[in-house]
PDB file of all heavy atoms in Angstrom:
ATOM      1  N   ALA A   1       0.827  -1.201   0.000  1.00 96.00           N
ATOM      2  CA  ALA A   1      -0.002  -0.003   0.000  1.00 96.00           C
ATOM      3  C   ALA A   1       0.869   1.261  -0.001  1.00 96.00           C
ATOM      4  O   ALA A   1       0.537   2.252  -0.658  1.00 96.00           O
ATOM      5  CB  ALA A   1      -0.922   0.000   1.206  1.00 96.00           C
ATOM      6  N   THR A   2       1.978   1.204   0.714  1.00 95.00           N
ATOM      7  CA  THR A   2       2.906   2.344   0.731  1.00 95.00           C
ATOM      8  C   THR A   2       3.493   2.578  -0.649  1.00 95.00           C
ATOM      9  O   THR A   2       3.538   3.701  -1.142  1.00 95.00           O
ATOM     10  CB  THR A   2       4.035   2.101   1.746  1.00 95.00           C
ATOM     11  OG1 THR A   2       3.472   1.956   3.057  1.00 95.00           O
ATOM     12  CG2 THR A   2       5.015   3.257   1.748  1.00 95.00           C
ATOM     13  N   ALA A   3       3.952   1.513  -1.292  1.00 92.00           N
ATOM     14  CA  ALA A   3       4.568   1.622  -2.600  1.00 92.00           C
ATOM     15  C   ALA A   3       3.580   2.129  -3.647  1.00 92.00           C
ATOM     16  O   ALA A   3       3.929   2.924  -4.525  1.00 92.00           O
ATOM     17  CB  ALA A   3       5.143   0.280  -3.029  1.00 92.00           C
ATOM     18  N   LEU A   4       2.330   1.703  -3.554  1.00 93.00           N
ATOM     19  CA  LEU A   4       1.328   2.076  -4.539  1.00 93.00           C
ATOM     20  C   LEU A   4       0.606   3.370  -4.200  1.00 93.00           C
ATOM     21  O   LEU A   4      -0.050   3.964  -5.047  1.00 93.00           O
ATOM     22  CB  LEU A   4       0.282   0.956  -4.671  1.00 93.00           C
ATOM     23  CG  LEU A   4       0.592  -0.184  -5.633  1.00 93.00           C
ATOM     24  CD1 LEU A   4       1.875  -0.928  -5.259  1.00 93.00           C
ATOM     25  CD2 LEU A   4      -0.573  -1.163  -5.681  1.00 93.00           C
ATOM     26  N   ASN A   5       0.708   3.788  -2.927  1.00 93.00           N
ATOM     27  CA  ASN A   5      -0.052   4.944  -2.441  1.00 93.00           C
ATOM     28  C   ASN A   5      -1.547   4.763  -2.710  1.00 93.00           C
ATOM     29  O   ASN A   5      -2.257   5.687  -3.091  1.00 93.00           O
ATOM     30  CB  ASN A   5       0.439   6.249  -3.065  1.00 93.00           C
ATOM     31  CG  ASN A   5      -0.110   7.484  -2.359  1.00 93.00           C
ATOM     32  OD1 ASN A   5      -0.229   7.485  -1.135  1.00 93.00           O
ATOM     33  ND2 ASN A   5      -0.434   8.519  -3.109  1.00 93.00           N
ATOM     34  N   ALA A   6      -1.995   3.536  -2.508  1.00 93.00           N
ATOM     35  CA  ALA A   6      -3.404   3.208  -2.731  1.00 93.00           C
ATOM     36  C   ALA A   6      -3.745   1.974  -1.890  1.00 93.00           C
ATOM     37  O   ALA A   6      -2.907   1.104  -1.696  1.00 93.00           O
ATOM     38  CB  ALA A   6      -3.682   2.919  -4.200  1.00 93.00           C
ATOM     39  N   VAL A   7      -4.969   1.945  -1.400  1.00 97.00           N
ATOM     40  CA  VAL A   7      -5.422   0.805  -0.605  1.00 97.00           C
ATOM     41  C   VAL A   7      -6.735   0.273  -1.180  1.00 97.00           C
ATOM     42  O   VAL A   7      -7.541   1.024  -1.697  1.00 97.00           O
ATOM     43  CB  VAL A   7      -5.623   1.165   0.889  1.00 97.00           C
ATOM     44  CG1 VAL A   7      -4.326   1.656   1.501  1.00 97.00           C
ATOM     45  CG2 VAL A   7      -6.708   2.204   1.066  1.00 97.00           C
ATOM     46  N   ASN A   8      -6.911  -1.033  -1.085  1.00 97.00           N
ATOM     47  CA  ASN A   8      -8.213  -1.596  -1.415  1.00 97.00           C
ATOM     48  C   ASN A   8      -8.768  -2.428  -0.264  1.00 97.00           C
ATOM     49  O   ASN A   8      -9.863  -2.961  -0.353  1.00 97.00           O
ATOM     50  CB  ASN A   8      -8.136  -2.451  -2.694  1.00 97.00           C
ATOM     51  CG  ASN A   8      -7.512  -3.811  -2.459  1.00 97.00           C
ATOM     52  OD1 ASN A   8      -6.618  -3.964  -1.623  1.00 97.00           O
ATOM     53  ND2 ASN A   8      -7.962  -4.809  -3.199  1.00 97.00           N
ATOM     54  N   THR A   9      -7.989  -2.527   0.817  1.00 98.00           N
ATOM     55  CA  THR A   9      -8.411  -3.290   1.994  1.00 98.00           C
ATOM     56  C   THR A   9      -7.940  -2.563   3.243  1.00 98.00           C
ATOM     57  O   THR A   9      -6.766  -2.192   3.337  1.00 98.00           O
ATOM     58  CB  THR A   9      -7.818  -4.714   1.977  1.00 98.00           C
ATOM     59  OG1 THR A   9      -8.209  -5.375   0.768  1.00 98.00           O
ATOM     60  CG2 THR A   9      -8.309  -5.518   3.161  1.00 98.00           C
ATOM     61  N   VAL A  10      -8.852  -2.366   4.185  1.00 98.00           N
ATOM     62  CA  VAL A  10      -8.511  -1.744   5.467  1.00 98.00           C
ATOM     63  C   VAL A  10      -8.908  -2.702   6.575  1.00 98.00           C
ATOM     64  O   VAL A  10     -10.064  -3.172   6.614  1.00 98.00           O
ATOM     65  CB  VAL A  10      -9.215  -0.394   5.655  1.00 98.00           C
ATOM     66  CG1 VAL A  10      -8.934   0.179   7.044  1.00 98.00           C
ATOM     67  CG2 VAL A  10      -8.781   0.597   4.574  1.00 98.00           C
ATOM     68  N   VAL A  11      -7.985  -3.001   7.445  1.00 98.00           N
ATOM     69  CA  VAL A  11      -8.253  -3.871   8.595  1.00 98.00           C
ATOM     70  C   VAL A  11      -8.244  -3.017   9.855  1.00 98.00           C
ATOM     71  O   VAL A  11      -7.302  -2.232  10.082  1.00 98.00           O
ATOM     72  CB  VAL A  11      -7.190  -4.985   8.707  1.00 98.00           C
ATOM     73  CG1 VAL A  11      -7.424  -5.806   9.972  1.00 98.00           C
ATOM     74  CG2 VAL A  11      -7.230  -5.873   7.475  1.00 98.00           C
ATOM     75  N   PHE A  12      -9.289  -3.135  10.665  1.00 98.00           N
ATOM     76  CA  PHE A  12      -9.347  -2.428  11.932  1.00 98.00           C
ATOM     77  C   PHE A  12      -8.811  -3.331  13.023  1.00 98.00           C
ATOM     78  O   PHE A  12      -9.387  -4.376  13.338  1.00 98.00           O
ATOM     79  CB  PHE A  12     -10.787  -2.004  12.253  1.00 98.00           C
ATOM     80  CG  PHE A  12     -11.377  -1.087  11.203  1.00 98.00           C
ATOM     81  CD1 PHE A  12     -12.569  -1.412  10.562  1.00 98.00           C
ATOM     82  CD2 PHE A  12     -10.741   0.093  10.861  1.00 98.00           C
ATOM     83  CE1 PHE A  12     -13.110  -0.573   9.617  1.00 98.00           C
ATOM     84  CE2 PHE A  12     -11.270   0.941   9.900  1.00 98.00           C
ATOM     85  CZ  PHE A  12     -12.454   0.606   9.268  1.00 98.00           C
ATOM     86  N   ASP A  13      -7.687  -2.948  13.584  1.00 96.00           N
ATOM     87  CA  ASP A  13      -6.993  -3.754  14.584  1.00 96.00           C
ATOM     88  C   ASP A  13      -6.870  -2.919  15.858  1.00 96.00           C
ATOM     89  O   ASP A  13      -5.987  -2.070  15.975  1.00 96.00           O
ATOM     90  CB  ASP A  13      -5.607  -4.153  14.076  1.00 96.00           C
ATOM     91  CG  ASP A  13      -4.878  -5.111  15.005  1.00 96.00           C
ATOM     92  OD1 ASP A  13      -5.451  -5.461  16.055  1.00 96.00           O
ATOM     93  OD2 ASP A  13      -3.746  -5.500  14.678  1.00 96.00           O
ATOM     94  N   GLY A  14      -7.793  -3.157  16.794  1.00 95.00           N
ATOM     95  CA  GLY A  14      -7.802  -2.345  18.003  1.00 95.00           C
ATOM     96  C   GLY A  14      -8.144  -0.908  17.648  1.00 95.00           C
ATOM     97  O   GLY A  14      -9.151  -0.628  17.004  1.00 95.00           O
ATOM     98  N   GLU A  15      -7.277   0.010  18.027  1.00 96.00           N
ATOM     99  CA  GLU A  15      -7.501   1.422  17.730  1.00 96.00           C
ATOM    100  C   GLU A  15      -6.992   1.814  16.352  1.00 96.00           C
ATOM    101  O   GLU A  15      -7.210   2.945  15.906  1.00 96.00           O
ATOM    102  CB  GLU A  15      -6.797   2.283  18.800  1.00 96.00           C
ATOM    103  CG  GLU A  15      -7.341   2.091  20.206  1.00 96.00           C
ATOM    104  CD  GLU A  15      -8.797   2.476  20.309  1.00 96.00           C
ATOM    105  OE1 GLU A  15      -9.177   3.531  19.763  1.00 96.00           O
ATOM    106  OE2 GLU A  15      -9.572   1.718  20.926  1.00 96.00           O
ATOM    107  N   LYS A  16      -6.305   0.931  15.669  1.00 98.00           N
ATOM    108  CA  LYS A  16      -5.656   1.277  14.414  1.00 98.00           C
ATOM    109  C   LYS A  16      -6.453   0.841  13.184  1.00 98.00           C
ATOM    110  O   LYS A  16      -7.085  -0.213  13.189  1.00 98.00           O
ATOM    111  CB  LYS A  16      -4.256   0.655  14.341  1.00 98.00           C
ATOM    112  CG  LYS A  16      -3.271   1.221  15.342  1.00 98.00           C
ATOM    113  CD  LYS A  16      -1.901   0.584  15.153  1.00 98.00           C
ATOM    114  CE  LYS A  16      -0.881   1.182  16.111  1.00 98.00           C
ATOM    115  NZ  LYS A  16       0.465   0.570  15.915  1.00 98.00           N
ATOM    116  N   ALA A  17      -6.360   1.677  12.143  1.00 98.00           N
ATOM    117  CA  ALA A  17      -6.884   1.336  10.827  1.00 98.00           C
ATOM    118  C   ALA A  17      -5.683   1.140   9.917  1.00 98.00           C
ATOM    119  O   ALA A  17      -4.914   2.078   9.667  1.00 98.00           O
ATOM    120  CB  ALA A  17      -7.777   2.442  10.300  1.00 98.00           C
ATOM    121  N   ILE A  18      -5.509  -0.101   9.436  1.00 98.00           N
ATOM    122  CA  ILE A  18      -4.305  -0.454   8.683  1.00 98.00           C
ATOM    123  C   ILE A  18      -4.672  -0.735   7.226  1.00 98.00           C
ATOM    124  O   ILE A  18      -5.534  -1.569   6.947  1.00 98.00           O
ATOM    125  CB  ILE A  18      -3.619  -1.680   9.311  1.00 98.00           C
ATOM    126  CG1 ILE A  18      -3.319  -1.402  10.792  1.00 98.00           C
ATOM    127  CG2 ILE A  18      -2.339  -2.017   8.553  1.00 98.00           C
ATOM    128  CD1 ILE A  18      -2.855  -2.612  11.548  1.00 98.00           C
ATOM    129  N   GLY A  19      -4.011  -0.035   6.315  1.00 98.00           N
ATOM    130  CA  GLY A  19      -4.305  -0.179   4.892  1.00 98.00           C
ATOM    131  C   GLY A  19      -3.431  -1.189   4.196  1.00 98.00           C
ATOM    132  O   GLY A  19      -2.231  -1.269   4.434  1.00 98.00           O
ATOM    133  N   HIS A  20      -4.037  -1.972   3.319  1.00 98.00           N
ATOM    134  CA  HIS A  20      -3.352  -2.981   2.521  1.00 98.00           C
ATOM    135  C   HIS A  20      -3.759  -2.820   1.069  1.00 98.00           C
ATOM    136  O   HIS A  20      -4.731  -2.141   0.752  1.00 98.00           O
ATOM    137  CB  HIS A  20      -3.715  -4.389   2.986  1.00 98.00           C
ATOM    138  CG  HIS A  20      -3.419  -4.675   4.424  1.00 98.00           C
ATOM    139  ND1 HIS A  20      -2.269  -5.309   4.829  1.00 98.00           N
ATOM    140  CD2 HIS A  20      -4.119  -4.409   5.559  1.00 98.00           C
ATOM    141  CE1 HIS A  20      -2.267  -5.428   6.148  1.00 98.00           C
ATOM    142  NE2 HIS A  20      -3.378  -4.899   6.616  1.00 98.00           N
ATOM    143  N   ASN A  21      -3.017  -3.463   0.189  1.00 97.00           N
ATOM    144  CA  ASN A  21      -3.402  -3.494  -1.220  1.00 97.00           C
ATOM    145  C   ASN A  21      -3.273  -4.910  -1.741  1.00 97.00           C
ATOM    146  O   ASN A  21      -2.161  -5.437  -1.838  1.00 97.00           O
ATOM    147  CB  ASN A  21      -2.536  -2.541  -2.049  1.00 97.00           C
ATOM    148  CG  ASN A  21      -3.142  -2.302  -3.418  1.00 97.00           C
ATOM    149  OD1 ASN A  21      -3.329  -3.229  -4.194  1.00 97.00           O
ATOM    150  ND2 ASN A  21      -3.472  -1.043  -3.712  1.00 97.00           N
ATOM    151  N   THR A  22      -4.404  -5.517  -2.056  1.00 97.00           N
ATOM    152  CA  THR A  22      -4.396  -6.883  -2.615  1.00 97.00           C
ATOM    153  C   THR A  22      -4.641  -6.878  -4.119  1.00 97.00           C
ATOM    154  O   THR A  22      -4.673  -7.933  -4.745  1.00 97.00           O
ATOM    155  CB  THR A  22      -5.441  -7.779  -1.932  1.00 97.00           C
ATOM    156  OG1 THR A  22      -6.765  -7.320  -2.248  1.00 97.00           O
ATOM    157  CG2 THR A  22      -5.264  -7.764  -0.410  1.00 97.00           C
ATOM    158  N   ASP A  23      -4.811  -5.686  -4.706  1.00 97.00           N
ATOM    159  CA  ASP A  23      -4.980  -5.604  -6.155  1.00 97.00           C
ATOM    160  C   ASP A  23      -3.706  -6.032  -6.889  1.00 97.00           C
ATOM    161  O   ASP A  23      -3.765  -6.685  -7.918  1.00 97.00           O
ATOM    162  CB  ASP A  23      -5.330  -4.169  -6.574  1.00 97.00           C
ATOM    163  CG  ASP A  23      -6.773  -3.812  -6.321  1.00 97.00           C
ATOM    164  OD1 ASP A  23      -7.608  -4.730  -6.270  1.00 97.00           O
ATOM    165  OD2 ASP A  23      -7.078  -2.612  -6.187  1.00 97.00           O
ATOM    166  N   ARG A  24      -2.555  -5.620  -6.337  1.00 96.00           N
ATOM    167  CA  ARG A  24      -1.286  -5.962  -7.000  1.00 96.00           C
ATOM    168  C   ARG A  24      -1.102  -7.482  -7.057  1.00 96.00           C
ATOM    169  O   ARG A  24      -0.854  -8.041  -8.127  1.00 96.00           O
ATOM    170  CB  ARG A  24      -0.113  -5.327  -6.258  1.00 96.00           C
ATOM    171  CG  ARG A  24       1.238  -5.783  -6.774  1.00 96.00           C
ATOM    172  CD  ARG A  24       2.379  -5.072  -6.056  1.00 96.00           C
ATOM    173  NE  ARG A  24       3.669  -5.702  -6.320  1.00 96.00           N
ATOM    174  CZ  ARG A  24       4.840  -5.195  -5.970  1.00 96.00           C
ATOM    175  NH1 ARG A  24       4.892  -4.058  -5.313  1.00 96.00           N
ATOM    176  NH2 ARG A  24       5.952  -5.836  -6.237  1.00 96.00           N
ATOM    177  N   SER A  25      -1.232  -8.150  -5.932  1.00 96.00           N
ATOM    178  CA  SER A  25      -1.067  -9.598  -5.916  1.00 96.00           C
ATOM    179  C   SER A  25      -2.168 -10.276  -6.715  1.00 96.00           C
ATOM    180  O   SER A  25      -1.939 -11.287  -7.389  1.00 96.00           O
ATOM    181  CB  SER A  25      -1.064 -10.121  -4.478  1.00 96.00           C
ATOM    182  OG  SER A  25      -2.256  -9.762  -3.791  1.00 96.00           O
ATOM    183  N   GLY A  26      -3.384  -9.707  -6.662  1.00 97.00           N
ATOM    184  CA  GLY A  26      -4.502 -10.296  -7.405  1.00 97.00           C
ATOM    185  C   GLY A  26      -4.290 -10.254  -8.900  1.00 97.00           C
ATOM    186  O   GLY A  26      -4.513 -11.242  -9.597  1.00 97.00           O
ATOM    187  N   PHE A  27      -3.811  -9.117  -9.415  1.00 98.00           N
ATOM    188  CA  PHE A  27      -3.594  -9.019 -10.853  1.00 98.00           C
ATOM    189  C   PHE A  27      -2.399  -9.880 -11.289  1.00 98.00           C
ATOM    190  O   PHE A  27      -2.451 -10.530 -12.330  1.00 98.00           O
ATOM    191  CB  PHE A  27      -3.352  -7.573 -11.296  1.00 98.00           C
ATOM    192  CG  PHE A  27      -3.116  -7.460 -12.772  1.00 98.00           C
ATOM    193  CD1 PHE A  27      -4.177  -7.498 -13.665  1.00 98.00           C
ATOM    194  CD2 PHE A  27      -1.828  -7.346 -13.276  1.00 98.00           C
ATOM    195  CE1 PHE A  27      -3.963  -7.435 -15.037  1.00 98.00           C
ATOM    196  CE2 PHE A  27      -1.604  -7.270 -14.641  1.00 98.00           C
ATOM    197  CZ  PHE A  27      -2.684  -7.313 -15.528  1.00 98.00           C
ATOM    198  N   ALA A  28      -1.343  -9.857 -10.497  1.00 98.00           N
ATOM    199  CA  ALA A  28      -0.151 -10.644 -10.854  1.00 98.00           C
ATOM    200  C   ALA A  28      -0.507 -12.127 -10.975  1.00 98.00           C
ATOM    201  O   ALA A  28      -0.093 -12.804 -11.930  1.00 98.00           O
ATOM    202  CB  ALA A  28       0.944 -10.452  -9.815  1.00 98.00           C
TER     203      ALA A  28
END
């Protein structure tokens, strides 16, 4: 997500909202 500056998945873990990107792995 950092490398792409884009997120398609957000996980709420306690007080934190953590962004991920599964589009890259999905397309590859």
Side-chain angles (χ1 to χ4, degrees):
T2 299
L4 274 60
N5 193 38
V7 300
N8 77 327
T9 303
V10 176
V11 176
F12 300 124
D13 186 0
E15 297 298 316
K16 293 183 178 180
I18 305 171
H20 302 263
N21 194 300
T22 67
D23 282 335
R24 173 177 167 171
S25 58
F27 180 79

